[in-house]
Structure formats: C-alpha cells, structure tokens
Amino acid sequence: MVTYIEAGAAPYKNTGVIRLYGPDGFEGMRKACRVTARCLDELASRVQPGVTTEEIDRFVYEFGMDHGALPATLNYRGYTKSSCTSINHVVCHGIPNDKPLREGDIVNIDVTYVVDGWHGDSSRMYPVGEIKRAAERLLEVTHECLMRGIAAVRSGARTGAIGEAIQSYAESERCSVVRDFCGHGVGRLFHDAPNILHYGNASEGPELKEGMIFTIEPMINLGRPHVKVLSDGWTAVTRDRSLSAQYEHTVGVTANGCEVFTLSPAGLFMPGVRALGTA
Ligand code: MF3
Ligand code: CO
Ligand code: CO
C-alpha cells in the first residue's frame, strides 16, 4: 500500500512513504537546485579536450564551497567525489579521474548540492569538441525522453505515465531504456520514495500528488539496455559497449503539472547540441 505524509511529519529516513512538501519545501528546493543548475552552466565552457574529470570534479567542489552548497555525493555510501562523470559507454556513476577528455567524447556530469538541507539533483550531457552524428542523435533523443517524461507529470496520473512516455519515445527512435537505475524522490533526503521508472505503463505505480518532489533521469542507450557495474563498485557501463546518455531534472508536482527546479538559467541545458525543440 502506498502512503503519503506531510513532509515535516516524516522521519528523516526512507521508509517508503511518499512525502508531500509545501511552499517552504518548494522554496528550499528552488534555492538548492538553482546552485546545481548554475554549476552545470559554468561547466559548459570548461568541458574541453584535454580537461580531466578530476579537474571538473574539483570545480564542482569549489563552486559549492563558494555558494554555501555541499556536494551530496561526498562520502555518500563510500563515494568520495563531488560529482559523477560518465563518459561514452559509461551509463552512470563514473568516478572522476586524471584521464583527459578526448575530442568526440560525450560526458554526463551529475551534480547534487545540499543547501540548507535541501538536495538539488541534476545532470546534463556535454559534447567534448566535435562529436559524431550518432552521438549527437543520442543526446537529442535522451533529452527529448526527459522532456516527454516531464510533460507526463500531473497530479492524478501515476508514476508509470512518466516511464511510458519515455520508453515509447526511446524505442520509437530505436534506442533502449536502462532498467537498472531509476529516478527517485528527493528533498530533505537524497534518495527517497518513490522510485521513478523510465519504462513501463501509465496504469502502474503510485499516484502523483501535488507536493511530491522527485527526479526524472532517463539513461538511454544506442544499443541494448543491459548494464554491468565495474569492480570499483560504482561505474556502470553498457554490456555491449554501446554509447549511453542521460539528462536529469528535479521536479515538484504542482496543481497544474510540475515545476522544474533545475532549469538552466543560461539556457545551456544542451550545450553544443542541435536540440529537437529546445529554446
Ligand atoms: N546524482 C545521482 C543521482 O542522480 C546519484 C549519485 S550517487 C553517487 O541519483 F554516489 F554515485 F554519487
Ligand atoms: Co538523481
Ligand atoms: Co543526479
């Protein structure tokens, strides 16, 4: 059975109940998510051939320190970096290292900042120099998956409506949806109920209610959907080594749809990509 609870009345751990946040929660999330979005904007000009993901991670740490924001991933379940940097066939949770980015790479940078206890979680794809048309198409399809997922959010619908919108579009474009990772409730906690699957059926999952806050973060592959986690315990890669992409926003359910908290102030959500229908 699904239960919902006024956010302030819930214990500070994921017990499976779905928190409903009021105006204070939405305001807290706006602040945290704005810092995250501004950091991701700053990275657009910094992601270049020759730059290492370690350098990117250092920038994420410093930017947080300069803006009253703590990276939520630091010491999270043994993770020791301020960001995840997932290159090419890495699906998610790539660990920043000292290897330089190369022309033609595509890299997802995923940042979660905590500001006044609120978590702002977002990720984007960054092309490194010139990328191949197949890679650019994957970025366009993945971004469109996120946008269609967001468009499905309204109170009264089920979480499955988000997954159905994403899966049907991805597969119509001959891409596949990763099943092993999902979006999640977020707010006071980094990873909370409910899970937001990026596949499935509109008749499934808990009902969306005004005040719910969660991420949508589809991982889409050019090849097959299957992933494996490397021996570092984090890095998830496509089993067939096909390219993978991901975009992530944090959203809150409102009376007439949703508010996207992690929009790019500079209009740089898809830097260097000819987007389908982006402003
Ligand atoms: N930010 C990721 C997400 O979207 C989670 C990263 S957890 C880490 O949920 F430990 F891998 F950093
Ligand atoms: Co997330
Ligand atoms: Co994230």
Side-chain angles (χ1 to χ4, degrees):
M1 200 191 61
V2 189
T3 52
Y4 301 84
I5 190 165
E6 193 265 306
Y12 190 65
K13 62 179 176 194
N14 182 352
T15 57
V17 301
I18 295 174
R19 276 159 231 269
L20 303 178
Y21 293 95
D24 293 353
F26 273 58
E27 196 46 43
M29 289 301 284
R30 277 180 205 119
K31 283 201 188 121
C33 289
R34 192 176 309 126
V35 183
T36 300
R38 286 185 51 208
C39 174
L40 294 177
D41 279 355
E42 288 294 325
L43 289 172
S45 61
R46 289 174 166 83
V47 175
Q48 296 289 345
V51 171
T52 70
T53 47
E54 189 64 67
E55 288 164 344
I56 290 169
D57 191 68
R58 172 135 298 266
F59 177 83
V60 172
Y61 178 78
E62 296 292 341
F63 188 90
M65 292 303 107
D66 291 345
H67 294 85
L70 193 69
T73 54
L74 263 187
N75 303 316
Y76 177 79
R77 295 172 187 251
Y79 195 82
T80 59
K81 302 290 179 180
S82 299
S83 60
C84 296
T85 51
S86 303
I87 303 168
N88 296 338
H89 69 294
V90 179
V91 171
C92 63
H93 303 165
I95 305 171
N97 64 22
D98 58 9
K99 238 183 95 195
L101 292 169
R102 291 160 42 154
E103 178 100 15
D105 285 343
I106 55 170
V107 57
N108 175 279
I109 305 177
D110 192 335
V111 173
T112 307
Y113 281 131
V114 190
V115 177
D116 297 334
W118 299 100
H119 292 71
D121 187 5
S122 183
S123 81
R124 307 179 188 168
M125 297 302 298
Y126 298 83
V128 180
E130 277 286 303
I131 61 171
K132 292 217 174 86
R133 179 60 197 143
E136 186 180 53
R137 190 180 78 87
L138 177 64
L139 303 197
E140 290 169 351
V141 169
T142 306
H143 177 264
E144 182 66 16
C145 282
L146 173 58
M147 291 304 136
R148 289 182 183 222
I150 290 171
V153 176
R154 54 172 185 81
S155 67
R158 294 181 178 276
T159 58
I162 299 167
E164 182 177 301
I166 291 168
Q167 183 182 13
S168 60
Y169 179 70
E171 292 178 355
S172 78
E173 291 291 329
R174 288 164 284 108
C175 293
S176 67
V177 178
V178 170
R179 311 288 204 271
D180 302 67
F181 302 96
C182 57
H184 49 92
V186 65
R188 284 288 188 197
L189 294 182
F190 188 3
H191 292 112
D192 205 354
N195 285 339
I196 304 294
L197 306 186
H198 302 117
Y199 60 93
N201 193 286
S203 65
E204 296 161 352
E207 189 183 328
L208 298 173
K209 290 189 193 287
E210 186 175 350
M212 283 172 64
I213 298 178
F214 51 82
T215 73
I216 307 177
E217 49 182 297
M219 285 140 275
I220 305 296
N221 299 345
L222 275 185
R224 295 179 47 79
H226 309 103
V227 313
K228 67 176 179 195
V229 175
L230 300 185
S231 57
D232 60 25
W234 288 103
T235 311
V237 301
T238 55
R239 281 186 176 270
D240 64 6
R241 300 202 129 241
S242 66
L243 281 185
S244 186
Q246 177 179 31
Y247 288 85
E248 175 177 27
H249 271 314
T250 295
V251 308
V253 181
T254 60
N256 42 26
C258 71
E259 176 172 344
V260 182
F261 294 121
T262 42
L263 290 175
S264 165
L268 289 172
F269 198 66
M270 291 181 80
V273 181
R274 278 177 288 157
L276 296 165
T278 39

